[in-house]
Amino acid sequence: MAAPTTFQGLRRVPGILSAMPAPAANVLTPSQLNALARSLLEDAFPVVQVEGEIANLARPASGHLYLTLKDARAQVRCALFRPKSQWLRFEPRNGLQVLARGRLTLYEARGDYQLILDSLEEAGEGALRRAFEELKAKLQAEGLFDPERKRPLPAWVRRLGVLTSPSGAAVRDVLSVLARRFPLLDVDVLPVPVQGDAAAAQITAMLQRAGASGRYDALLLARGGGSLEDLWAFNDEALARAIAASPVPVVSAVGHETDFTLADFAADLRAPTPSVAAELLVPERSDLRTRLHGQQQRLQALHARGLRDAMQRTDRTALRLNALRPQARLQQLRTRQQAAMQRLDRALRARSDARTARLRHAEAVLRAMQPGRRLAALRDRLATLRPRPQAAVARQLQRDALRLRGLARSLEAVSPLATVARGYAIVQHEDGRVVRGVGDARVGDRLQARLANGALRVRVEGSDAS
């Protein structure tokens, strides 16, 4: 049955009609008429899709493909030129129902109109392909296939649920690979039909139950190869949404490497075949043994290093505990006390020696300044000079006498006794401190006034500051 096509009338191309000469004005040649008809057809029908049965199929040595599309009441000639004819995914033959897409034109040499095809596909598969592309575009626009929402597989899959036909070749391939690579994996085969009208709903229900059970670390959708119609259950919209909403990662391995379904795009990981999916889900046994051996060596090294560190910490702790024992603490304090006593003894000796030296120096200075010693020295000198001539002695005696009287006056001038003898008094506290001003004594203090011939004990009644 031909696909419905909207044919638009000549009103859509008024320019062409206005360019045509009036019948009475000029007479057209066949080539002119066919050229005008070709322009009219190509402008009115840019791209059309026609569904019909192949007839009169011809494939010449040029590689082009010539055929006729017909239904019960009409037919149209078609041409599919090389290289597009070599890209067909099926073998055209007479009597096959196909869907053709192309441009309507007119072959001017014979005046025949025909379709120049851009694509040709089987009618049933073509309809499915259109539905697949439309649904894929819809889900992709919703972000269902975005790489950002896909989850990575767990590092170690401990329990795997395989949704597939229990009697198909896919389940045998998956179980064989899993047993060879990682026999410790716990695998549950979740039986579902993988083909037919009810397959999509049953696969969706089983997927939702498996995900909600919390039993599995990952789920695998597996099916062998087939035509687009055979794989159509995995292009179901509800199934694609259930895969995207699954709480556990989903791996899709549907068909062969060149087959793609909506389940592949919605899954967290797409494998080319079920066998490859099994290899991606579990590690190789030899690789795992190598990794375990390496981890064992690292664990032993860590254990040995930890043991050495613990022994070193124990030794340091024992040393600290030994240092903190009461006997050791007392010995340490005793040593510090002896050292302090030695430093104190040295300091006292040094201080005593310094004071002794200062005292001796002061005593020597005091002895040097005593008048008696000075007079004795002068008498000794006088006795030494006596044997000299009398005149020289007299002059020297005179000079010495004068000098002696000067020294005596000087001593009397600086002597506090001389001051007292002139009628002054020296006021002192009872402890000997001299009162130098009014502020040095308070009312009620007992003082001592030293006079030339004795001392008076007085008491302060008041003060008048000048």
Side-chain angles (χ1 to χ4, degrees):
M1 181 177 181
T5 304
T6 301
F7 293 92
Q8 299 173 342
L10 298 179
R11 292 189 301 258
R12 294 289 304 274
V13 285
I16 295 178
L17 292 179
S18 61
M20 295 177 61
N26 292 308
V27 177
L28 299 175
T29 63
S31 59
Q32 291 174 334
L33 179 62
N34 287 348
L36 290 173
R38 176 182 177 181
S39 299
L40 179 63
L41 285 174
E42 290 180 351
D43 290 342
F45 300 94
V47 177
V48 295
Q49 295 188 33
V50 180
E51 183 177 341
E53 179 184 333
I54 295 179
N56 303 322
L57 179 65
R59 190 189 295 271
S62 62
H64 305 320
L65 189 66
Y66 299 100
L67 56 96
T68 299
L69 286 181
K70 68 175 185 177
D71 59 12
R73 293 182 297 175
Q75 65 181 14
V76 59
R77 292 183 178 179
C78 305
L80 183 62
F81 298 124
R82 185 179 178 181
K84 295 180 181 179
S85 63
Q86 298 176 331
W87 297 345
L88 294 177
R89 301 182 60 182
F90 69 100
E91 183 65 29
R93 62 182 183 276
N94 289 327
L96 184 65
Q97 194 78 8
V98 294
L99 178 66
R101 184 177 184 274
R103 297 170 289 105
L104 190 62
T105 185
L106 185 137
Y107 183 50
E108 298 180 20
R110 291 198 302 266
D112 296 336
Y113 87 94
Q114 61 182 353
L115 276 174
I116 303 300
L117 301 181
D118 294 324
S119 64
L120 187 66
E121 57 187 18
E122 295 182 82
E125 185 173 352
L128 292 179
R129 182 70 61 183
R130 289 195 305 274
F132 170 81
E133 294 295 340
E134 291 174 0
L135 183 55
K136 175 186 174 184
K138 172 186 174 182
L139 298 180
Q140 189 169 11
E142 296 179 10
L144 205 69
F145 305 151
D146 290 347
E148 292 77 11
R149 56 152 294 276
K150 296 182 183 296
R151 296 156 297 181
L153 294 179
W156 297 100
V157 178
R158 293 168 298 189
R159 185 181 293 274
L160 176 66
V162 182
L163 284 75
T164 188
S165 172
S167 60
V171 68
R172 292 194 298 271
D173 294 341
V174 169
L175 295 178
S176 175
V177 173
L178 293 178
R180 172 175 52 85
R181 290 176 63 89
F182 193 64
L184 297 179
L185 178 67
D186 193 358
V187 183
D188 290 345
V189 177
L190 308 177
V192 291
V194 294
Q195 187 173 341
D197 296 337
Q202 296 186 40
I203 296 172
T204 302
M206 181 65 76
L207 179 71
Q208 291 173 341
R209 288 197 300 271
S213 67
R215 176 181 175 84
Y216 304 103
D217 299 316
L219 297 173
L220 172 61
L221 292 177
R223 189 204 188 282
S227 65
L228 180 61
E229 187 175 0
D230 294 337
L231 304 178
W232 192 249
F234 295 91
N235 290 320
D236 184 73
E237 180 178 359
L239 176 59
R241 295 187 182 278
I243 293 173
S246 174
V248 297
V250 177
V251 180
S252 176
V254 178
H256 297 302
E257 186 172 359
T258 57
D259 297 322
F260 284 91
T261 65
L262 295 180
D264 295 328
F265 294 109
D268 298 292
L269 178 65
R270 186 254 177 185
T273 62
S275 299
V276 175
E279 294 179 356
L280 295 174
L281 282 166
V282 295
E284 178 65 39
R285 181 164 41 184
S286 59
D287 296 339
L288 183 60
R289 186 182 297 111
T290 302
R291 292 178 59 183
L292 288 176
H293 181 66
Q295 291 180 357
Q296 182 181 11
Q297 289 181 338
R298 287 194 295 273
L299 182 61
Q300 290 176 352
L302 290 174
H303 178 70
R305 185 164 60 249
L307 184 60
R308 289 195 302 270
D309 294 342
M311 292 176 65
Q312 293 176 359
R313 288 195 299 270
T314 302
D315 292 340
R316 289 194 296 268
T317 303
L319 291 175
R320 287 198 299 269
L321 289 175
N322 186 42
L324 293 175
R325 289 185 307 168
Q327 296 85 352
R329 184 65 173 170
L330 290 175
Q331 181 62 35
Q332 183 181 8
L333 293 175
R334 190 179 296 111
T335 303
R336 292 177 59 185
Q337 181 185 17
Q338 292 175 356
M341 291 297 295
Q342 292 176 358
R343 290 195 301 272
L344 180 61
D345 184 61
R346 288 193 299 268
L348 291 176
R349 289 181 181 178
R351 186 174 182 182
S352 178
D353 293 343
R355 288 184 174 181
T356 302
R358 288 197 300 271
L359 182 59
R360 290 176 180 174
H361 177 70
E363 184 180 1
V365 172
L366 184 60
R367 282 199 304 268
M369 294 181 63
Q370 286 181 356
R373 291 179 60 83
R374 184 64 173 168
L375 290 175
L378 291 177
R379 290 192 190 97
D380 292 340
R381 187 176 180 184
L382 180 61
T384 304
L385 295 176
R386 239 175 231 171
R388 294 183 180 184
Q390 208 57 17
V393 172
R395 286 193 301 272
Q396 186 63 41
L397 288 174
Q398 187 179 4
R399 285 195 300 271
D400 290 340
L402 291 174
R403 187 175 182 183
L404 182 60
R405 284 196 296 273
L407 290 173
R409 285 196 299 272
S410 298
L411 287 174
E412 291 177 358
V414 299
S415 174
L417 298 177
T419 303
V420 172
R422 290 198 299 270
Y424 294 95
I426 299 176
V427 182
Q428 296 175 309
H429 288 279
E430 292 181 345
D431 57 2
R433 290 183 292 115
V434 177
V435 178
R436 301 181 183 276
V438 174
D440 293 343
R442 294 178 297 181
V443 175
D445 287 350
R446 295 184 179 277
L447 306 177
Q448 179 177 324
R450 185 173 181 181
L451 302 174
N453 57 352
L456 298 177
R457 296 185 182 277
V458 297
R459 183 179 181 208
V460 179
E461 297 292 340
S463 64
D464 292 328
S466 58

